[in-house]
Amino acid sequence: MSSIHAQYPPLDSRPIKNTVCLFDVDGTLTPARRTVSPEMLSLLQQLRRKVAIGFVGGSDLIKQQEQLGVNGANVIDMFDFCFAENGLTAYRQGVALPSNSFIQWLGEARYKPLANFILHYIADLDIPLKRGTFIEFRNGMINVSPIGRNASIQERNEFEAYDKVHKVRETMVEKLKERFEDYGLTFSIGGQISFDVFPNGWDKTYCLQHVGGFETVHFFGDKTYKGGNDYEIFEDQRTIGHTVTKPEDTMVELKTLFDL
């Protein structure tokens, strides 16, 4: 265990017993694809002295490091539990836990038709802007973006507003579900510009296997509606779900719930 983890009480000695708080990243701890605020970090440090804390996000650990590990801090030292790619990459107090692989599960022979269909669909899609990186290949999933993940922050904001009206992602997801209904895949819309594709059961509930020793598991997320990438863990009977719309909401909830 690193010296940073040792600065906090052991997990079984936190004042609020057998309790862990898990947080989505984008829209919950940080604005979408932006860095965490000093105020949020300070509040999380206070919370960590009372309960165990962790994040669970769909992005890979590198992106979560960029958003949460400000001023050179290592994100795996800032939380008791770190769950990247819904927990396919996982750490408990700085120690790596067993991981899994999307491509090993699906196989190249089945992945290629899926990737080809996605790229052809996006090529034929008539939307105001297209940039680059339409499929991002991750350890536990693929992330698909009709506009492309290279879009600027302003372009992301514009696409999000456009998508709310024209349902670009929602329509594409329905086409994929129909075409690949025998693949056993979940298509989960999250963030501003993309959706995740992963095996059934590899949603954010995947991480709960690593916190099974806690009697109370709070989850905070913004995409808790059906089809959103927080929905399954929010609705899971093992969690107490909290819907927020922005980091400021999260801070208000935490101050009220834990007297911070």
Side-chain angles (χ1 to χ4, degrees), residues 125-140:
L125 198 57
D126 185 15
I127 55 177
L129 292 174
K130 290 182 185 176
R131 291 299 180 250
T133 311
F134 302 104
I135 298 177
E136 183 174 81
F137 188 85
R138 300 175 180 171
N139 182 55

Side-chain angles (χ1 to χ4, degrees), residues 28-93:
T28 301
L29 292 180
T30 77
R33 292 302 301 135
R34 310 290 279 274
T35 56
V36 67
S37 71
E39 294 78 14
M40 177 65 81
L41 286 179
S42 176
L43 193 67
L44 289 173
Q45 288 171 355
Q46 295 175 52
L47 178 65
R48 193 177 179 186
R49 297 197 175 277
K50 292 191 171 187
V51 301
I53 67 170
F55 68 80
V56 50
S59 296
D60 59 32
L61 193 61
I62 293 172
K63 290 186 177 63
Q64 288 155 352
Q65 174 66 37
E66 291 172 353
Q67 291 179 259
L68 298 172
V70 296
N71 299 322
N74 191 333
V75 71
I76 66 173
D77 291 329
M78 298 166 59
F79 295 82
D80 299 301
F81 294 93
C82 301
F83 299 125
E85 300 185 55
N86 295 349
L88 272 296
T89 299
Y91 288 83
R92 177 189 171 106
Q93 295 202 300

Side-chain angles (χ1 to χ4, degrees), residues 8 15 27 30 36 58-59 72-73 112 117 124 128 135 141 147 153 157 182 218 224 228 246:
Y8 295 90
T30 77
V36 67
S59 296
K112 285 190 288 186
F117 182 91
D124 294 334
I135 298 177
M141 66 183 73
I147 187 178
I153 290 172
N157 292 339
D182 61 333
H218 292 275
T224 57
K246 56 184 181 296

Side-chain angles (χ1 to χ4, degrees), residues 77-176:
D77 291 329
M78 298 166 59
F79 295 82
D80 299 301
F81 294 93
C82 301
F83 299 125
E85 300 185 55
N86 295 349
L88 272 296
T89 299
Y91 288 83
R92 177 189 171 106
Q93 295 202 300
V95 178
L97 299 172
S99 63
N100 215 329
S101 165
F102 174 76
I103 196 63
Q104 287 180 12
W105 181 89
L106 187 63
E108 290 289 352
R110 302 181 84 202
Y111 173 66
K112 285 190 288 186
L114 174 65
N116 289 343
F117 182 91
I118 289 169
L119 292 172
H120 279 292
Y121 185 96
I122 293 175
D124 294 334
L125 198 57
D126 185 15
I127 55 177
L129 292 174
K130 290 182 185 176
R131 291 299 180 250
T133 311
F134 302 104
I135 298 177
E136 183 174 81
F137 188 85
R138 300 175 180 171
N139 182 55
M141 66 183 73
I142 58 171
N143 178 266
V144 178
S145 176
I147 187 178
R149 295 195 61 87
N150 293 351
S152 68
I153 290 172
Q154 179 61 35
E155 290 164 348
R156 287 166 178 260
N157 292 339
E158 291 171 359
F159 177 81
E160 182 181 30
Y162 181 88
D163 189 47
K164 285 178 179 177
V165 175
H166 297 279
K167 310 292 184 186
V168 176
R169 290 182 291 176
E170 187 177 314
T171 302
M172 186 174 179
V173 161
E174 289 306 313
K175 294 289 186 184
L176 285 164

Side-chain angles (χ1 to χ4, degrees), residues 184-223:
L185 293 172
T186 294
F187 302 86
S188 183
I189 296 171
Q192 294 179 289
I193 62 168
S194 65
F195 59 89
D196 297 326
V197 184
F198 47 81
N200 293 339
W202 288 21
D203 51 60
K204 288 184 178 178
T205 62
Y206 189 91
C207 78
L208 295 179
Q209 63 187 289
H210 298 304
V211 293
F214 292 89
E215 293 177 5
T216 304
V217 180
H218 292 275
F219 172 75
F220 299 80
D222 66 320
K223 299 288 192 301

